[in-house]
Amino acid sequence: MNPLERVGARTNAFFEYAGGLTQLLGSSIGFLFRARIRIGEAISQAYLLGYQSLPITLLTSLFTGMVIALESAVNAVQYGLGNIVGGAVAYTSARELGPMLTGIVVAGRAGSAIAAEIGSMVVTDQVEALRSMGIEPARYLVVPRLLALVVMLPLLTIFADVISIIGGAWVAKIFAHIGYSDFMQSARTTISMGDVEKGLIKTVVFAAIIALVGSFQGLRTRGGAAGVGKSTTGAVVVSMMLIFISNFALSVLLYGSSG
Amino acid sequence: MAERIIARLDSVSLRFGDRLVLQNCSLPIVEGAITCIVGLSGAGKSTVLRLLDGLVRPQEGHVYVRDVDVCHTKERELNKIRRSISLSFQFAALLDSLTLEQNVSLPLVENTNMRRSEIRQKVSEALDAVGLTFANTNLPAELSGGMLKRAGFARAVVTQPDLILYDEPTTGLDPISVHLITKTIMRLRERSNGTAVVTSHDLPAIYMMADYMAMLFEGVIIAYGTTEEIRQSQNPIVQQFLAGDEVGPIPI
């Protein structure tokens, strides 16, 4: 294959992937609107993909909040700006780091689980069995996972925002002697409910990315156990890339240049 | 009375990448009859079943089920057709997150408005027919290979479809289970006039149940006819295959 053909093949593969993902999104939305949802399975997936991601999400957010506070508090106090540390931690947590880190953590944990489970089902003919019974894999497998993550990721993000601010307040108290009430007062005056809401809107998009990319990678699995491994890795890599890209796009869209 | 054709392959050619799997194959499936497809491993027997179920689309030719060309039907329409067809997979393909009972009831739960009690009754009958009532709460991982195969068979027959496609239903089973499955296939045909297409290497079982036989060799259907016609075929490939001889035109 000459270089030109290779470029052509890769371009083709890219559009094939993007088209397949869009098609899966379309059919999943169609099933959601027609209320063809397996509620029991969605609840079960909410537990597996959402609730079970809570510890790692909290841990990540706690330490992130602590690091932001550590980096900003000591310097801020030196310049007499200790009263803005709470605001800085809350601002970055609610608008950017809370939603994005939660998305990344869940993409790593739940996105890979979705791809591995569906991929295993593909290589053992279980997905073909569903199709042979006239059951659409998108409705049976994808929609419950999509719904579960769209509900659970914003909830996880709320917990992440809160724990990040708590961690930040604790570190600011220990290392920069900023009182809890000063920290919280700064946080309250800096962020608005709108900031939190916009952060949560982002997580809905991230949830859709994680569920759809994980499912799509799983459904296109070929070649046994090795194929499942590739799909799982692919799901995490593509989800994370799309989360970073969409995070920037959403920040521009939601906050504009004015912030 | 003229035989009615419920499904047929019409000049089908299929490739997977560079590999030619089927070449210009035509095969009628007679309604109410059991058609057995024989051939060497890898000859494309399972692919024929997948074509009939619309799971695979050929590059050339047509596949008709009740006069609907399943090769050119949208997935949503195809799903409606598939609800009158069942495919019993070679390795069962049970959903490993569901119990045996949930697996067998799946097509009824998803595709019908039957009451729970009615579904339970049908599932119980299907599991009873394959001797697996005792294992209804087990997960597939807790069953042996033979039990899985019988469970897959139960899931295929529970909806009492017009056309059942059995992919090697007796391979790897003990002689008693082979007899049980063969008898069940025949009983289902007699009870509901259901049509069956069976791929198998088990010649005694085939001779017992088949009305028609087709032999696939190197992607081509080289023989088709009633079981008696095939058994008496003068085609040297068919003769060698049925006799199980090492010497003959089939390269080993």
Side-chain angles (χ1 to χ4, degrees), chain B residues 14-82:
Chain B
L14 177 76
R15 282 177 181 279
F16 288 142
D18 293 335
R19 195 166 74 90
L20 183 65
V21 181
L22 296 174
Q23 192 180 353
N24 199 28
C25 287
S26 294
L27 177 70
I29 306 298
V30 176
E31 188 166 19
I34 297 174
T35 302
C36 286
I37 303 171
V38 295
L40 299 175
S41 299
K45 303 186 293 296
S46 302
T47 306
V48 170
L49 300 188
R50 281 167 166 76
L51 282 164
L52 288 167
D53 206 12
L55 295 170
V56 178
R57 295 184 187 220
Q59 280 86 16
E60 286 172 37
H62 302 274
V63 180
Y64 296 97
V65 175
R66 290 212 182 277
D67 295 327
V68 176
D69 185 354
V70 295
C71 309
H72 299 97
T73 306
K74 284 186 178 165
E75 195 70 11
R76 196 182 290 178
E77 291 304 310
L78 203 53
N79 280 333
K80 289 179 190 161
I81 296 168
R82 284 187 187 131

Side-chain angles (χ1 to χ4, degrees), chain A residues 57 61 92-103 157 160-161 164 203:
Chain A
T57 304
S61 304
T92 45
S93 295
R95 287 170 61 124
E96 294 298 336
L97 290 180
M100 203 177 72
L101 278 179
T102 308
T157 305
D161 289 349
S164 163
T203 62

Side-chain angles (χ1 to χ4, degrees), chain A residues 169-211:
Chain A
W170 183 69
V171 165
K173 169 88 176 160
I174 300 291
F175 290 91
H177 310 292
I178 297 168
Y180 289 128
S181 59
D182 292 339
F183 187 95
M184 289 303 170
Q185 179 62 24
S186 167
R188 265 198 298 273
T189 52
T190 308
I191 59 163
S192 64
M193 202 55 208
D195 291 319
V196 178
E197 283 166 6
K198 285 170 184 170
L200 295 182
I201 290 169
K202 283 182 174 182
T203 62
V204 172
V205 177
F206 299 162
I209 288 171
I210 296 164

Side-chain angles (χ1 to χ4, degrees), chain B residues 12-225:
Chain B
V12 165
S13 294
L14 177 76
R15 282 177 181 279
F16 288 142
D18 293 335
R19 195 166 74 90
L20 183 65
V21 181
L22 296 174
Q23 192 180 353
N24 199 28
C25 287
S26 294
L27 177 70
I29 306 298
V30 176
E31 188 166 19
I34 297 174
T35 302
C36 286
I37 303 171
V38 295
L40 299 175
S41 299
K45 303 186 293 296
S46 302
T47 306
V48 170
L49 300 188
R50 281 167 166 76
L51 282 164
L52 288 167
D53 206 12
L55 295 170
V56 178
R57 295 184 187 220
Q59 280 86 16
E60 286 172 37
H62 302 274
V63 180
Y64 296 97
V65 175
R66 290 212 182 277
D67 295 327
V68 176
D69 185 354
V70 295
C71 309
H72 299 97
T73 306
K74 284 186 178 165
E75 195 70 11
R76 196 182 290 178
E77 291 304 310
L78 203 53
N79 280 333
K80 289 179 190 161
I81 296 168
R82 284 187 187 131
R83 286 167 197 164
S84 63
I85 305 172
S86 277
L87 173 56
S88 171
F89 284 78
Q90 187 177 354
F91 300 108
L94 298 180
L95 271 64
D96 48 23
S97 58
L98 304 182
T99 65
L100 201 55
E101 189 173 23
Q102 288 168 331
N103 261 295
V104 176
S105 66
L106 190 61
L108 297 175
V109 171
E110 292 293 325
N111 298 332
T112 70
N113 294 318
M114 276 185 194
R115 287 195 303 272
R116 275 169 187 257
S117 57
E118 210 176 336
I119 290 174
R120 218 172 293 132
Q121 175 67 26
K122 281 188 177 291
V123 171
S124 167
E125 281 172 17
L127 287 174
D128 191 38
V130 294
L132 281 177
T133 313
F134 69 94
N136 61 349
T137 55
N138 286 77
L139 289 168
E142 297 163 346
L143 303 177
S144 70
M147 287 159 89
L148 284 176
K149 212 167 177 90
R150 280 147 59 196
F153 181 88
R155 184 178 65 185
V157 301
V158 74
T159 53
Q160 296 182 338
D162 298 340
L163 174 60
I164 312 186
L165 312 167
Y166 301 99
D167 195 0
E168 308 211 6
T170 56
T171 307
L173 295 180
D174 59 82
I176 297 168
S177 295
V178 168
H179 192 73
L180 184 76
I181 295 288
T182 309
K183 284 281 181 195
T184 309
I185 293 172
M186 293 168 73
R187 200 172 60 235
L188 278 168
R189 189 266 306 270
E190 281 155 19
R191 194 170 66 188
S192 54
N193 201 29
T195 312
V197 183
V198 184
T199 68
S200 181
H201 295 118
D202 188 346
L203 292 175
I206 290 170
Y207 294 151
M208 194 157 90
M209 64 181 157
D211 299 302
Y212 294 91
M213 282 177 72
M215 179 159 173
L216 260 173
F217 181 69
E218 293 182 345
V220 178
I221 293 175
I222 56 163
Y224 171 79

